[in-house]
Amino acid sequence: MKDLRGTCAAAVRNAILKEFGLQIPNSRKKNVIVDVSKWKKSGKVKECYDKLYDNDENVIENITKLAFPTLSYSDKSSSSFNDFYIYTASVCDIILNPDYPDTECAKNPLERQFRKFKVNFFC
């Protein structure tokens, strides 16, 4: 499961970077927390984070399509599409949220976000 989570999270991370034209800082281990925090608090990342929740944008849907191109998008009410959409929203929130200290999607935070978004988006 960890490999699948890692692969899917990496696909979403790459789709986020492509959709927004962002680049996550590449730095030495001891400076990673500082660099990630600085990157997440930048104006560009904050703007992208805000776009995730803009009703006029289809950013999460676009990122889902980029990350999972083989998924059928013809029936957006299907549980499969909804699960991938919620997963994508969860990963996007972790990666772009300035209040979350990392860009890695650990199991527990990802599960919490998934449950939170499942309630918020589809209930």
Side-chain angles (χ1 to χ4, degrees), residues 8-26:
C8 291
V12 174
R13 182 181 304 110
N14 291 336
I16 291 167
L17 300 178
K18 186 174 183 177
E19 176 74 13
F20 292 124
L22 295 173
Q23 186 172 9
I24 294 176
N26 185 12

Side-chain angles (χ1 to χ4, degrees), residues 25-90:
N26 185 12
S27 63
R28 292 164 292 195
K29 282 281 187 196
K30 65 180 181 177
N31 294 330
V32 169
I33 293 172
V34 173
D35 291 344
V36 167
S37 177
K38 186 177 176 180
W39 178 77
K40 285 187 165 204
K41 292 185 186 319
S42 72
K44 176 70 173 164
V45 174
K46 181 170 178 6
E47 179 184 317
C48 295
Y49 181 72
D50 291 342
K51 283 183 181 180
L52 292 176
Y53 305 104
D54 185 342
N55 290 332
D56 295 332
E57 303 272 342
N58 293 323
V59 174
I60 296 173
E61 186 175 329
N62 294 344
I63 293 169
T64 304
K65 288 177 180 178
L66 285 170
F68 307 104
T70 59
L71 186 63
S72 173
Y73 297 99
S74 59
D75 183 12
K76 292 183 183 175
S77 64
S78 75
S79 65
S80 177
F81 175 82
N82 291 344
D83 287 345
F84 278 94
Y85 184 91
I86 294 167
Y87 182 85
T88 300
S90 301

